[in-house]
Amino acid sequence: MTKKNAALVEVLQTSVEAQIAGRSLWKDARIRFFRNKAAVISLVVLTLVALACAFGPMVLPHSYEDTDWNAMGIGPSFHDWHLFGTDELGRDLLVRTLIGGRISLVIGLLATIASVSVGIVWGATAGFIGGKVDSVMMRVVDMLYAIPYLLIAILMVTIFGRNFSLVVLTISIFSWMDMARVVRGQTLSIKSKEFIEAARAIGVPTWRIIFQHVVPNLLGIVVIYTTVTVPGVILTESVLSFLGLGVQEPMTSWGVLIEDGTNVMAATPWMILFPGAALSITLYCANYIGDGLRDALDPKDR
């Protein structure tokens, strides 16, 4: 065999080996996700909204609590850079919308992290241990489902007052049960797998099996469900703020701005239009991203 033929054979072998090696599941999911145009566009839009909320108030000339006595209740205009207009107190609506988005997004992120963490631990523990422990833990979940969260939110606000931490705590308390149910169901199907039996056979402690073997195999469903939880948490925060149970003035959120806008909707419709549009766009984008991740990580579509 000549050197030229040997080099050609080596190239062909390398190409065949690369095709046989294939792609990892996560790389395949990433490729499938970026083929979903709606999900990618939503990811870009949501990123731009988050960046605007994070850095926009730093570069704009107004503060969210400053009053412009010469521009009270004016509509959107380039006059003194009131691009979204002002409210009845002369405060710039653009800055307040961005600050409100910052608060709503941060509350949504923190409450989601807390609820997902509690739900994973609770559901994985109940599903893996099983028996009476599983029954007791899931009955606790059922009892919490029966408690109206608005009643508890009103009670907590009455006792502790309105503040940022209280809103996060209230939402977290009532948003982890769905994740616990989903994780428990997946854990019941995983704990009978061969690698779990092998870990038990060699004497691996239960807590290590749960957190080192069970939980990593739940990552796909957890990622999907987390993207569904985030818009739900943001919407819950907006509802609480709309009802006067959220953050306290002069701090604001999208729910507070929408509630303010409904009171003067006929005279100053921009006060409800812009924060309502920001909230709607964020929820739509989060839901489209969740749909894209679900399609990308669904083993039936591979």
Side-chain angles (χ1 to χ4, degrees), residues 57-88:
M58 300 179 185
V59 300
L60 292 172
H62 306 286
S63 172
Y64 72 94
E65 55 185 349
D66 287 346
T67 297
D68 188 347
W69 300 104
N70 297 319
M72 300 178 67
I74 66 169
S77 68
F78 288 98
H79 171 69
D80 203 15
W81 290 98
H82 294 302
L83 301 181
F84 282 10
T86 62
D87 61 13
E88 69 278 7

Side-chain angles (χ1 to χ4, degrees), residues 2-299:
T2 63
K3 292 183 178 180
K4 183 176 181 180
N5 291 335
L8 180 60
V9 170
E10 184 177 355
V11 170
L12 291 175
Q13 288 178 344
T14 303
S15 176
V16 171
E17 290 174 357
Q19 293 178 3
I20 294 175
R23 299 189 297 261
S24 67
L25 294 178
W26 287 105
K27 184 176 181 180
D28 183 60
R30 184 171 65 251
I31 293 173
R32 292 166 62 85
F33 177 81
F34 283 105
R35 287 176 181 170
N36 190 324
K37 295 181 180 180
V40 173
I41 293 173
S42 298
L43 180 62
V44 172
V45 172
L46 187 59
T47 301
L48 293 176
V49 170
L51 291 175
C53 293
F55 301 106
M58 300 179 185
V59 300
L60 292 172
H62 306 286
S63 172
Y64 72 94
E65 55 185 349
D66 287 346
T67 297
D68 188 347
W69 300 104
N70 297 319
M72 300 178 67
I74 66 169
S77 68
F78 288 98
H79 171 69
D80 203 15
W81 290 98
H82 294 302
L83 301 181
F84 282 10
T86 62
D87 61 13
E88 69 278 7
L89 299 179
R91 296 175 297 188
D92 184 72
L93 189 58
L94 173 57
V95 175
R96 289 182 64 77
T97 300
L98 295 179
I99 290 291
R102 183 189 295 178
I103 297 299
S104 295
L105 292 174
V106 170
I107 290 177
L109 181 62
L110 293 179
T112 299
I113 292 174
S115 63
V116 167
S117 301
V118 174
I120 290 174
V121 174
W122 194 275
T125 303
F128 187 81
I129 296 177
K132 293 182 178 179
V133 174
D134 181 26
S135 298
V136 172
M137 294 180 72
M138 297 316 295
R139 295 300 77 73
V140 172
V141 173
D142 293 339
M143 287 187 292
L144 287 175
Y145 267 121
I147 301 175
Y149 80 91
L150 281 178
L151 178 63
I152 301 300
I154 293 172
L155 181 62
M156 294 180 69
V157 168
T158 303
I159 297 174
F160 301 106
R162 293 191 301 169
N163 59 71
F164 179 87
S165 302
L166 182 63
V167 176
V168 175
L169 179 61
T170 303
I171 296 175
S172 301
I173 290 174
F174 291 96
S175 58
W176 62 271
M177 288 91 75
D178 290 339
M179 177 63 75
R181 284 182 175 274
V182 171
V183 170
R184 174 184 175 272
Q186 293 296 314
T187 302
L188 289 175
S189 64
I190 290 176
K191 73 175 186 178
S192 60
K193 300 294 184 181
E194 290 79 3
F195 65 93
I196 299 295
E197 296 296 334
R200 281 174 165 170
I202 62 177
V204 178
T206 299
W207 67 271
R208 286 189 60 186
I209 296 177
I210 293 174
F211 291 103
Q212 293 185 6
H213 298 284
V214 175
V215 172
N217 284 279
L218 299 171
L219 192 57
I221 190 66
V222 168
V223 170
I224 295 172
Y225 204 80
T226 298
T227 59
V228 177
T229 303
V230 171
V233 169
I234 293 175
L235 186 60
T236 301
E237 182 278 328
S238 298
V239 171
L240 292 175
S241 297
F242 183 84
L243 296 175
L245 304 175
V247 295
Q248 193 170 8
E249 289 280 4
M251 188 53 68
T252 189
S253 71
W254 282 334
V256 173
L257 292 174
I258 293 173
E259 194 276 333
D260 291 341
T262 56
N263 297 327
V264 291
M265 185 168 53
T268 55
W270 57 87
M271 285 187 59
I272 191 174
L273 176 63
F274 290 113
L279 176 61
S280 299
I281 290 171
T282 301
L283 295 180
Y284 273 116
C285 290
N287 283 316
Y288 274 119
I289 293 171
D291 289 341
L293 288 173
R294 181 195 60 200
D295 295 340
L297 295 172
D298 190 352

